[in-house]
Amino acid sequence: MFKIFIIEDDRGLVALLQEYLHRFGYETQAVNDFEAVRTEFEQYAPHLVLLDVNLPKFDGYYWCRQIRGISTCPILFISARDGKMDQVMALENGADDYITKPFDYEIAMAKIKSHLRRAYGSYAVGANERSLAVSGLTLDVERLVLSRGNAKVDLSHTEAKILDELMKKTGTIVTRDRLLEKIWDDQAFVDDNTLNVYVTRVRKKLAAMGIQDGLQTVRGQGYRLSDNWGEVT
């Protein structure tokens, strides 16, 4: 049974979310101490987190970073803030998705199911326990690690899926539609800015490997991963 951790201070909404999630067979736990969110997360060890932005003491962006430091489980923000920058900040701080309040419970459930499938089910990164290597850059699909020489960085599930697709087709253009289709099976619910944010995050991970211009944007078509980045320094 999948376990979902709810970090939300509106107890009425928490009760409604738990009731709805229990109908679909999910186990849930809501945070009790908003100053000990990370500790409660570690103790519960959930498969997915639902997280509000406006919280007592520290905001959701802070707790998202704290959780990302110890886990790659899917994190979905649920917030009344509907501005573009709020969503960008959530993704930049490690979130996998952003749902604005008030929300349709069916859409919310579709997103939760989708992220659980990608993280742990038939679409999960690492399901086939494989790795990819291109010109000294190695993607460990199972462990969500990108390495080059002695340098290593951890990836989120979505970042690994983007690199998986690009590395399999190194030197050729991968269209935006292909990435959306490959990565988000419920792409009808994906905001157009989401892929841009994740591509930016992937570029930062490549830069940490000493690869500054490896991921190229082909205007009007998509993205291409070049392998002409030289030797490891």
Side-chain angles (χ1 to χ4, degrees):
M1 179 184 294
F2 287 117
K3 299 190 296 183
I4 298 177
F5 188 42
I6 303 172
I7 308 172
E8 164 67 65
D9 62 340
D10 182 337
R11 294 302 175 183
L13 178 57
V14 169
L16 289 172
L17 281 169
Q18 289 183 311
E19 179 184 355
Y20 208 84
L21 289 164
H22 292 166
R23 289 184 203 170
F24 288 86
Y26 298 119
E27 178 184 319
T28 66
Q29 178 176 304
V31 66
N32 291 307
D33 185 351
F34 286 96
E35 294 188 20
V37 171
R38 173 170 167 161
T39 299
E40 291 190 20
F41 171 87
E42 291 182 280
Q43 292 172 344
Y44 188 51
H47 297 93
L48 181 143
V49 173
L50 297 177
L51 174 62
D52 193 9
V53 174
N54 295 320
L55 296 171
K57 192 64 176 181
F58 301 104
D59 64 21
Y61 303 132
Y62 171 83
W63 289 119
C64 187
R65 293 193 302 273
Q66 292 295 306
I67 293 170
R68 269 292 163 261
I70 56 175
S71 174
T72 58
C73 81
I75 299 175
L76 281 66
F77 270 86
I78 295 181
S79 175
R81 296 188 187 182
D82 58 1
K84 174 181 175 180
M85 285 309 301
D86 294 309
Q87 298 180 46
V88 169
M89 283 182 64
L91 295 171
E92 288 283 10
N93 280 281
D96 294 281
D97 212 330
Y98 195 101
I99 304 170
T100 56
K101 302 174 185 176
F103 54 85
D104 185 298
Y105 278 90
E106 292 185 4
I107 291 179
M109 285 306 306
K111 285 177 173 284
I112 289 168
K113 290 179 180 178
S114 173
H115 284 284
L116 288 171
R117 282 196 303 270
R118 290 199 299 275
Y120 311 106
S122 57
Y123 303 142
V125 170
N128 297 320
E129 299 189 6
R130 55 191 181 81
S131 63
L132 292 173
V134 175
S135 298
L137 182 70
T138 301
L139 170 65
D140 188 322
V141 184
E142 179 182 8
R143 294 175 177 80
L144 303 178
V145 173
L146 186 67
S147 60
R148 184 176 184 233
N150 294 322
K152 292 184 179 181
V153 292
D154 294 325
L155 304 169
S156 70
H157 291 279
T158 304
E159 291 165 356
K161 279 185 169 288
I162 290 174
L163 279 166
D164 184 21
E165 190 67 14
L166 290 168
M167 289 176 70
K168 285 190 298 188
K169 300 180 179 179
T170 300
T172 62
I173 297 172
V174 180
T175 66
R176 289 178 60 89
D177 287 344
R178 173 60 180 169
L179 286 176
L180 289 170
E181 178 185 353
K182 179 72 176 178
I183 300 164
W184 290 284
D185 54 296
D186 62 340
Q187 60 179 298
F189 305 135
V190 175
D191 185 273
D192 188 53
N193 293 315
T194 302
L195 182 58
N196 295 335
V197 172
Y198 275 110
V199 167
T200 297
R201 287 169 59 174
V202 168
R203 284 197 171 104
K204 289 180 180 178
K205 297 297 173 70
L206 289 171
M209 299 290 96
I211 301 171
Q212 299 297 331
D213 301 310
L215 180 49
Q216 304 165 349
T217 299
V218 182
R219 189 175 299 277
Q221 298 184 59
Y223 304 96
R224 177 172 53 215
L225 183 67
S226 169
D227 60 356
N228 297 318
W229 48 66
E231 298 296 324
V232 178
T233 58

